[in-house]
Amino acid sequence: MLQIYNTLSRRKEVFTPLNEGKIGMYVCGVTVYDYCHIGHARVMVAFDVISRFLRWRGWELNYVRNVTDVDDKIIRRAAENGETPAALTERMIAAMHEDERALNVLPPDHEPKVTGSMPEILEFIQDLLDKEYAYLASNGDVYYRVEKFVGYGKLSGQQIEELRSGARIEVDEVKESPLDFVLWKAAKPGEVSWSAPWGEGRPGWHIECSAMSRCCIGHTLDIHGGGPDLPFPHHENEIAQSEAANGCTYANYWMHAGPVRVNQEKMSKSLNNFFTIRDVLNEYNPEVVRYFLTSAHYRSYIDYSESSLKEARSALERFYQALQGVVLLDEWPEMEFEARFIEAMEDDFNTPKALAVLFDLVSELNQAKRTPGLRTQQLASELKRLAGLIGLLQQDPDAFLKGADKEGAITHQEIEALIQARNTARANKDFAGADQIRQQLLEQGVVLKDSREGTQWYREEA
């Protein structure tokens, strides 16, 4: 029985969809003004794992993740670069998709863009104007009346009274209340804009998700997800907009991925500890990064550090070494590990618990390999299948463990030649010479593993 931690209720709840067998899931995507960073990767991978598991368990999933391709940051960055906002966002969306493919993140079913959803956004704002939850200000902006919506703050725990007392009123304030937020920004000279019944402009940030989720899924979502910084104000404002316009619950289950810290500090450009996905992938195998991101529960914070990535590499090495040299099967009987894996994942998608099941499977596999037979093949096949449900063990074991030849490093050909020389030395009972070759390879990051089938090798950092 699937249980999900609901940010709204602050507890785990048994998942019950609106329509039996079907799930509508909307996840807030990226504002594409720069390359995606490791925090974005956390959200991408977390909901990729969730979507993979839901589909495998037989749910008919409609997974929607938007792209914000018009925004203040986009307009500023495009101006700095001397390019149009459209040219900037096109490049950044292409780069985002490259990063996702590298991390084995499957595309969502729908990926609506703000610029392609303007009719739906205009319709949504008009609904709010008609119901007097929104108003046109003297400067041409359209604002949402926060204090008209009963229940504002229920997701984040914010209180209207506290928000009101802490709000600052600017000298040129045109809002009825300092708590009101913008739905439509009147056009400034030279900015990209669209025509609306209330004047030229562009949408505010919050309205886009309410409009796109309604268009792609409906008035009520089964699951709404996003990053750790979104419950307030973004998701709080989405609730206010959507429930005012639609007259029903916006989302039944709210899920938020945890933050990424860097050596126990908040990731920030000002602290010079900010890493884009492509920065990280220049240094580490993409599957190592994916393992690292799934090694903590999706709701927990995760600490990005060299030691964390080395631990992820070591864990994957253990998995791939267990698979190395075993011929996998196309079919095999149900094994005892699947039920435990399902139990872990149905406990709010507990990937650390699921990985622990895989480690137990590896131990059993390594023991079975001492007397190779059908069970060895069954265990190896089960390991690859279950790991695949969280997007892992997708490479050939030799390719992962040995890596590609790199400039300045010992080559595959040279390694194989030294292994042959070592085998000759051992056959001639020159054990000192054989040990010397093993040590020579070890000093170059190459580890040998002897078995009845012969000598296998892998690089410590392939």
Side-chain angles (χ1 to χ4, degrees):
M1 187 176 293
L2 176 61
Q3 294 190 79
I4 294 176
Y5 182 88
N6 192 346
T7 308
L8 183 64
S9 65
R10 293 164 183 75
R11 61 183 175 83
K12 286 183 190 177
E13 298 177 5
V14 174
F15 177 71
T16 305
L18 285 166
N19 300 299
E20 188 175 354
K22 298 181 179 181
I23 299 174
M25 181 171 75
Y26 183 92
V27 176
C28 288
V30 179
T31 301
V32 285
Y33 72 99
D34 204 345
Y35 292 113
C36 294
H37 55 68
I38 196 68
H40 292 135
R42 179 82 194 280
V43 178
M44 291 173 182
V45 170
F47 285 97
D48 180 62
V49 168
I50 289 166
S51 65
R52 284 172 184 263
F53 183 74
L54 291 175
R55 287 195 169 101
W56 179 69
R57 291 293 286 157
W59 301 95
E60 184 182 325
L61 176 67
N62 179 16
Y63 176 20
V64 181
R65 191 190 63 208
N66 76 298
V67 174
T68 299
D69 61 344
V70 60
D71 178 86
D72 290 339
K73 293 176 181 177
I74 291 170
I75 292 170
R76 283 196 299 268
R77 181 61 56 83
E80 292 168 5
N81 294 350
E83 62 183 329
T84 65
L88 171 64
T89 57
E90 186 177 341
R91 284 194 300 109
M92 291 300 105
I93 290 171
M96 177 184 73
H97 290 156
E98 287 176 9
D99 292 341
E100 289 172 341
R101 286 191 293 270
L103 290 171
N104 195 22
V105 171
L106 301 175
D109 297 296
H110 302 282
E111 192 176 59
K113 302 175 187 175
V114 176
T115 56
S117 306
M118 213 54 65
E120 292 80 10
I121 292 171
L122 294 175
E123 180 186 3
F124 209 106
I125 294 173
Q126 189 62 60
D127 287 348
L128 292 170
L129 285 166
D130 291 344
K131 294 182 177 182
E132 298 185 350
Y133 277 94
Y135 60 92
L136 178 63
S138 59
N139 67 346
D141 291 348
V142 177
Y143 288 96
Y144 182 91
R145 287 189 172 99
V146 167
E147 294 181 64
K148 182 177 172 65
F149 180 71
V150 177
Y152 188 83
K154 60 185 176 182
L155 178 69
S156 60
Q158 302 282 346
Q159 301 295 320
I160 283 280
E161 295 77 13
E162 293 176 4
L163 291 170
R164 191 188 299 118
S165 63
R168 295 182 179 181
I169 301 176
E170 303 296 334
V171 175
D172 60 348
E173 191 69 80
V174 296
K175 297 188 287 185
E176 293 178 355
S177 164
L179 301 185
D180 296 347
F181 58 87
V182 68
L183 301 173
W184 187 260
K185 296 184 176 185
K188 294 178 182 177
E191 281 189 352
V192 60
S193 64
W194 288 261
S195 295
W198 44 86
E200 288 283 320
R202 57 188 170 85
W205 177 34
H206 310 300
I207 192 64
E208 64 186 61
C209 289
S210 287
M212 287 187 279
S213 63
R214 183 169 78 173
C215 174
C216 295
I217 296 177
H219 287 181
T220 301
L221 316 176
D222 288 299
I223 298 171
H224 195 318
D229 56 333
L230 295 183
F232 186 86
H234 185 52
H235 287 164
E236 200 70 72
N237 290 348
E238 280 188 59
I239 290 173
Q241 295 164 161
S242 295
E243 296 191 356
N246 300 330
C248 58
T249 298
Y250 178 39
N252 285 332
Y253 300 86
W254 288 85
M255 302 178 69
H256 293 93
V260 175
R261 298 179 187 170
V262 180
N263 292 316
Q264 301 296 329
E265 291 186 309
K266 181 179 179 181
M267 188 173 70
S268 167
K269 286 185 177 179
S270 62
L271 295 174
N272 198 31
N273 66 357
F274 182 89
F275 298 96
T276 67
I277 295 174
R278 49 198 51 212
D279 287 337
V280 178
L281 297 184
N282 282 336
E283 300 294 328
Y284 295 94
N285 184 301
E287 196 166 350
V288 170
V289 179
R290 186 176 176 104
Y291 183 96
F292 158 71
L293 293 169
T294 58
S295 63
H297 192 279
Y298 78 89
R299 284 192 288 115
S300 306
Y301 87 87
I302 191 166
D303 190 54
Y304 177 87
S305 65
E306 187 175 344
S307 62
S308 296
L309 288 162
K310 284 184 176 179
E311 287 174 10
R313 169 76 199 183
S314 296
L316 281 175
E317 284 176 355
R318 185 175 171 189
F319 286 174
Y320 275 116
Q321 286 162 16
L323 290 175
Q324 201 172 26
V326 181
V327 176
L328 302 180
L329 303 172
D330 293 326
E331 294 183 10
W332 60 96
E334 184 176 321
M335 307 194 76
E336 61 270 26
F337 296 94
E338 180 179 303
R340 292 174 54 203
F341 184 91
I342 292 171
E343 181 183 4
M345 291 297 288
E346 288 195 336
D347 180 15
D348 193 29
F349 309 100
N350 193 326
T351 50
K353 204 172 178 181
L355 289 171
V357 174
L358 298 187
F359 275 111
D360 288 346
L361 204 168
V362 166
S363 297
E364 186 84 10
L365 172 56
N366 286 334
Q367 186 173 356
K369 286 174 75 175
R370 295 174 187 169
T371 54
L374 181 59
R375 180 158 174 83
T376 302
Q377 292 178 281
Q378 291 172 343
L379 288 166
S381 302
E382 185 78 337
L383 173 61
K384 187 170 177 67
R385 180 177 74 97
L386 294 179
L389 297 177
I390 46 181
L392 298 173
L393 302 190
Q394 299 301 293
Q395 301 179 55
D396 175 79
D398 280 348
F400 178 87
L401 294 167
K402 296 177 180 180
D405 287 341
K406 296 181 181 179
E407 187 177 349
I410 188 170
T411 66
H412 284 216
Q413 187 175 2
E414 290 168 336
I415 293 168
E416 295 291 353
L418 284 169
I419 290 175
Q420 184 57 48
R422 176 174 175 266
N423 289 340
T424 301
R426 294 170 75 191
N428 294 332
K429 301 191 183 302
D430 180 10
F431 299 114
D435 289 344
Q436 186 178 3
I437 292 172
R438 175 190 280 274
Q439 185 61 33
Q440 179 185 345
L441 287 168
L442 187 60
E443 289 171 357
Q444 297 185 73
V446 177
V447 178
L448 303 185
K449 187 177 180 182
D450 296 317
S451 68
R452 293 177 182 178
E453 290 74 35
T455 301
Q456 296 174 330
W457 63 271
Y458 63 94
R459 297 183 196 270
E460 289 184 301
E461 292 292 337

